[in-house]
Amino acid sequence: MTSKILVTENLTVSFDGFKALKNLNFSLEPGELRVVIGPNGAGKTTFLDVITGKVQPTSGRILFKGQNLRRQTEEQISRLGIGRKFQTPRVYLNLTCWQNLELSYHARKSVWGTLFPRPPRDERRHLGHLLEIIGLVPQAQSRAALLSHGEKQRLEIGMLVAQSPNLLLVDEPVAGLTDEETGKVGELLLTLAETHSILVIEHDMEFVRQIARQVTVLHEGTILCEGTIEQVQADPRVIEVYLGQPQE
Amino acid sequence: MLNLRLSRPKALLLEVGVVFLLVLATVFGVPPLLTAAGQAYRINLLGRFLALAIAALGVDLIWGFTGLLSLGQGIFFALGGYSLAMHLQLQIPTGQLPDFFSLYGVSQLPWFWYPYYSFGFTLAAVVLLPALTAALLGYLVFRNRIRGVYFAILTQAALIVFFNFFNGQQKLINGTNGLKTDTTELFGQLVSSQPIQSAFYTCTVVLVAVAYFLCRWLTSGRFGRILVAVRDDETRLRFSGYNPTGFKVVVFAIAAALVGVAGALYTVQSGIITPDAMSIAFSIDMVIWVAVGGRGTLVGAILGALLVEFARNNLSDQFPEFWLFLQGALFLLVVTVLPGGVIGWVRTWRIFPPPTVTTYPSLEVDLEPEDDQQDSRD
C-alpha cells in the first residue's frame, strides 16, 4: 500500500449536498501513466481539485507517497511534488517562456529567496534542456501571451516539469488542439512518463488510444471500471454511459 | 510591455546616469530658473508634488505591478505626516505642551507622544509605522484570500475608520484642525523659513530617486516577476509552489512605507497635516496619478502625479468650480482612450528616436524583447 505514489480511500467531496465524488478508491503506482476518462460531470476535475488542495475532501483521505494531504494548502502540496496543469492553459501571460519556466523551477520560493536569488549553477542548462523537450526554444524570449494555444499547452506542461514533481496531474491537455499539435503533446507526455508518474484526464478518445496503458473510467463520482483501453472499450457499462454516445 | 528583465549593465548605468542628471537639474537648475521667472512659489509646489510622486510610486508598485487596488493609501500618508508633525510640535522648551492642548484643557502629554521627542524614532516611525500597519492589515486580508474589488472596498473602509478616529480625537492629536508644522522649529530655525524649506526640497528630490531605484530593483528581478504573476494569475502561482500571501504583505508594506515618507515630506512643505489627508477623494487621486501616467511603468507614476497636480493647481485657480469635472473627464479619457496612460501612449510612437528614449528609462528594457520576438518569428 505504501509503495503506491497516490492512494485515495473512500474519498467523498460534496458541494451543498451534491456529491461530486462518492467513496472513490483509487491508486496509482510510481512511474505509471494513467488516463482517467468519463462523461461530463463525472467528477474528473473535482478529483484533481481535491488532490491539489483546491477543495477539501468531505470525508475519506488522500495519501501521496504515504503522506496524508488533509489540510495542506495548494502551495504545500505543490512543494511535496505534485504538479498540476489546468484545463485551459494557465501560464503567466506577461512573462516570457523562459521566465515562466524559471519561476516554476526556482527552488527557494520564499519572499527572501526571490529578492536575493542564488540560482543554482545548472539552472540555465536545465531550463534550456526543458525548452528543447517542449519544443519552444525559438520562443524562449517571447511573452507567453504571444504563443499559440498549442504552444501555451506545452509551456504549461514544461512549467510542471520544471517544478520537478513526482506526480503530474494533467487536465485535458489536448482540448482545442489541432491533430498535429495533439500528436506532439502525446509524444511529450510519453517522454515524460519515462521519468514521472502521470495522471491524465481526457475526453479525446483518439488521444487516449495514443498514450494510454491503463484507463480508469469515472462515472457520477465513482470508478466504473479500470483496465487497458481495449478492456474498457469492451465493457458494456462503459459503452452505455460514455462510449456509446455518438461522439465516438 | 511589462517585460522587466534585469537590464544589461550598460543600460543600467545609463539609467542611473540619467536619473542622477535629472536629480542634479531639479535640485540646482530648477529653483534659480523659477526664481528668475518670478515664480519662486512654484519651487514649493514642485517639492510638494514630488513628494506625492513618491506616494504614486508606492501605488504603482501595488496596483500597477501586483494588481492590488488600494483605496486606503491615505492612511499611510497620514501616519507618515502625523509622525513628523508630532516631532516638530514637540520642538519647544521642555515642560511645555504644544499650544493646541490648552484649548481642550489637556495638561499631560498623551503617552504616545513621548517617543516623538527623539528625532531618530520619528524618522523610523515615518517609515515603519505605515509599513507595520499595512503589514498587519495586509496579512489579515491576504491570508483570508480577499482579493480584487473586495480588497479595494476593505481598504476604503479602513480609511474611513482611521479618518473618523483622527478627526474625533481633539485631546490626542487636535482632531479636525490637524497639526501645523510651519510655525514650529527644526534645528533652531522656523520650518517655514527658506533654508529649511530648501533642505526639504532637496531631500524630496533625492528620495524620489531613491524610491524609484528601490521600485526598479523590486520589480526587475525574480521578485518582480512574482508580483506580475500575482497580478495575472494568483491561483496559478499557488500551484507553482509559491504562497502569494507573503509577497503581497511585503509589497503592500513597502508601498505603505513609501506613501508614509511622501506624507511626511508633503506635510512639512505644505505646513500642516489634517485628517483630510485621509479623505476618500485623496486616496483615489493617488490611483488616478498612476492611471494617467501609466500603470506598471514607475516613470509614469512620477509623471502622472506631477501632471495631474500641476493641472489641478493651475486650473483650479482659474476655474475652481470645474476641476472635479475635469479630473473625472481625465480619468474617463485615460480609461477609455489611453489604457496605458501617458507612458503607454508615448510607447506607441514607434518613431521615438533612441536618444530621446533615454529620458524614459523604463522604455530601454522594453525594446529588447520585441527585437527578440522578431528574431524568433523568423
Side-chain angles (χ1 to χ4, degrees):
Chain A
M1 200 69 179
T2 45
S3 70
K4 298 219 161 66
I5 187 156
L6 181 75
V7 180
T8 71
E9 294 171 353
N10 295 319
L11 187 64
T12 300
V13 175
S14 69
F15 301 113
D16 295 329
F18 169 73
K19 286 187 175 166
L21 294 179
K22 282 180 234 166
N23 293 321
L24 190 69
N25 288 297
F26 177 89
S27 66
L28 190 71
E29 300 286 343
E32 196 181 340
L33 170 65
R34 178 80 64 94
V35 180
V36 174
I37 60 171
N40 284 326
K44 301 184 299 277
T45 299
T46 307
F47 185 43
L48 295 194
D49 283 348
V50 76
I51 297 172
T52 51
K54 199 177 172 196
V55 297
Q56 285 293 323
T58 312
S59 65
R61 59 179 193 158
I62 306 161
L63 300 174
F64 174 66
K65 293 193 280 192
Q67 188 177 355
N68 195 339
L69 296 184
R70 189 167 188 80
R71 300 210 175 280
Q72 304 254 34
T73 61
E74 294 96 318
E75 61 272 15
Q76 286 167 330
I77 290 173
S78 161
R79 289 182 205 176
L80 284 177
I82 298 184
R84 177 177 184 181
K85 192 210 155 304
F86 287 85
Q87 201 164 336
T88 46
R90 284 172 84 169
V91 296
Y92 306 110
L93 296 176
N94 284 307
L95 302 179
T96 64
C97 289
W98 180 272
Q99 290 169 342
N100 265 286
L101 293 177
E102 184 190 67
L103 189 150
S104 310
Y105 180 74
H106 194 42
R108 299 160 69 227
K109 296 189 171 174
S110 60
V111 173
W112 195 257
T114 46
L115 270 177
F116 305 98
R118 276 179 287 156
R121 194 173 296 172
D122 58 347
E123 186 185 78
R124 289 194 73 81
R125 195 173 49 76
H126 190 96
L127 293 186
H129 182 58
L130 191 55
L131 275 172
E132 274 170 33
I133 295 179
I134 59 173
L136 291 177
V137 174
Q139 290 89 349
Q141 300 299 340
S142 303
R143 272 201 313 143
L146 300 169
L147 300 182
S148 73
H149 185 70
E151 288 167 338
K152 280 181 197 152
Q153 296 277 28
R154 278 184 280 145
L155 175 59
E156 196 180 5
I157 295 174
M159 286 160 67
L160 289 202
V161 178
Q163 284 171 240
S164 47
N166 306 100
L167 173 63
L168 298 178
L169 306 176
V170 186
D171 198 351
E172 299 198 16
V174 296
L177 294 191
T178 62
D179 288 350
E180 192 199 339
E181 285 172 324
T182 303
K184 274 191 196 168
V185 170
E187 279 166 33
L188 175 57
L189 285 176
L190 288 173
T191 313
L192 295 173
E194 291 163 15
T195 44
H196 301 81
S197 314
I198 305 185
L199 181 70
V200 182
I201 283 184
E202 195 42 72
H203 256 321
D204 183 334
M205 291 309 295
E206 204 60 45
F207 179 68
V208 173
R209 269 188 219 103
Q210 183 195 348
I211 63 166
R213 295 157 204 174
Q214 284 286 311
V215 177
T216 297
V217 185
L218 270 189
H219 179 54
E220 292 178 348
T222 48
I223 291 176
L224 193 66
C225 71
E226 276 181 337
T228 63
I229 181 81
E230 290 80 16
Q231 288 169 338
V232 164
Q233 276 181 307
D235 193 308
R237 291 170 302 170
V238 176
I239 294 168
E240 191 190 329
V241 304
Y242 187 47
L243 297 172
Q245 290 167 9
Q247 70 189 65
E248 174 48 7
Chain B
M1 108 178 237
L2 284 155
N3 233 309
L4 289 148
R5 292 188 292 162
L6 203 66
S7 46
R8 294 194 198 107
K10 221 173 147 187
L12 190 66
L13 206 66
L14 186 70
E15 190 177 334
V16 172
V18 169
V19 172
F20 184 67
L21 288 179
L22 279 175
V23 168
L24 285 184
T26 318
V27 172
F28 297 108
V30 174
L33 276 179
L34 283 175
T35 313
Q39 301 199 305
Y41 71 98
R42 282 189 194 270
I43 303 170
N44 175 260
L45 281 185
L46 182 61
R48 277 153 66 175
F49 298 161
L50 282 170
L52 297 180
I54 300 177
L57 281 171
V59 174
D60 199 14
L61 203 55
I62 53 172
W63 185 43
F65 286 90
T66 324
L68 305 170
L69 176 58
S70 167
L71 300 178
Q73 294 306 94
I75 298 171
F76 313 120
F77 191 89
L79 287 175
Y82 269 96
S83 290
L84 191 50
M86 281 161 76
H87 174 70
L88 293 174
Q89 286 274 337
L90 290 174
Q91 302 307 302
I92 44 179
T94 36
Q96 282 187 28
L97 288 185
D99 291 340
F100 68 89
F101 278 122
S102 60
L103 297 175
Y104 314 111
V106 178
S107 56
Q108 174 72 29
L109 195 65
W111 59 271
F112 65 90
W113 279 73
Y114 282 100
Y116 285 99
Y117 275 113
S118 151
F119 186 59
F121 175 87
T122 304
L123 287 189
V126 163
V127 176
L128 292 180
L129 194 60
L132 293 177
T133 311
L136 183 69
L137 182 70
Y139 178 70
L140 294 174
V141 172
F142 300 138
R143 196 195 52 166
N144 292 311
R145 304 196 182 186
I146 295 167
R147 303 196 293 214
V149 94
Y150 302 100
F151 173 73
I153 292 169
L154 247 165
T155 51
Q156 190 165 72
L159 181 74
I160 296 168
V161 169
F162 271 82
F163 173 82
N164 283 325
F165 178 78
F166 276 66
N167 209 32
Q169 298 299 322
Q170 280 94 344
K171 291 185 177 180
L172 297 178
I173 41 170
N174 203 17
T176 188
N177 300 318
L179 300 179
K180 285 192 129 187
T181 59
D182 51 2
T183 52
T184 59
E185 288 187 351
L186 187 64
F187 306 125
Q189 283 192 295
L190 209 58
V191 167
S192 55
S193 68
Q194 176 63 32
I196 294 281
Q197 285 297 313
S198 284
F200 280 134
Y201 174 81
T202 307
C203 199
T204 306
V205 177
V206 171
L207 283 174
V208 171
V210 170
Y212 173 76
F213 281 112
L214 174 71
C215 292
R216 279 284 283 142
W217 174 63
L218 288 173
T219 54
S220 58
R222 284 176 198 236
F223 185 78
R225 298 200 275 278
I226 302 284
L227 298 186
V228 171
V230 167
R231 182 191 65 193
D232 290 350
D233 196 342
E234 183 178 338
T235 312
R236 183 72 183 81
L237 196 61
R238 286 186 185 272
F239 291 100
S240 298
Y242 291 89
N243 185 354
T245 308
F247 291 92
K248 288 162 84 178
V249 168
V250 166
V251 81
F252 192 47
I254 292 173
L258 290 175
V259 176
V261 170
L265 291 168
Y266 187 82
T267 299
V268 289
Q269 293 180 85
S270 57
I272 189 165
I273 176 102
T274 70
D276 274 345
M278 286 178 287
S279 70
I280 289 171
F282 182 56
S283 291
I284 292 176
D285 282 347
M286 297 191 202
V287 172
I288 292 179
W289 301 332
V290 175
V292 168
R295 270 177 291 167
T297 59
L298 298 181
V299 179
I302 299 173
L303 273 184
L306 295 179
L307 279 177
V308 174
E309 288 307 303
F310 268 112
R312 180 207 304 276
N313 190 264
N314 284 343
L315 292 172
S316 60
D317 282 352
Q318 293 161 35
F319 319 101
E321 315 285 306
F322 283 107
W323 169 249
L324 276 179
F325 290 105
L326 282 170
Q327 187 175 19
L330 184 67
F331 193 57
L332 281 180
L333 185 80
V334 165
V335 169
T336 53
V337 185
L338 292 175
V342 173
I343 292 291
W345 180 53
V346 169
R347 278 177 186 170
T348 60
W349 307 348
R350 287 288 164 217
I351 44 163
F352 227 94
T356 325
V357 166
T358 56
T359 333
Y360 304 96
S362 65
L363 276 175
E364 184 67 22
V365 282
D366 292 327
L367 294 175
E368 288 172 87
E370 291 190 359
D371 296 340
D372 292 342
Q373 277 157 29
Q374 274 158 10
D375 294 343
S376 66
R377 291 283 159 202
D378 291 340

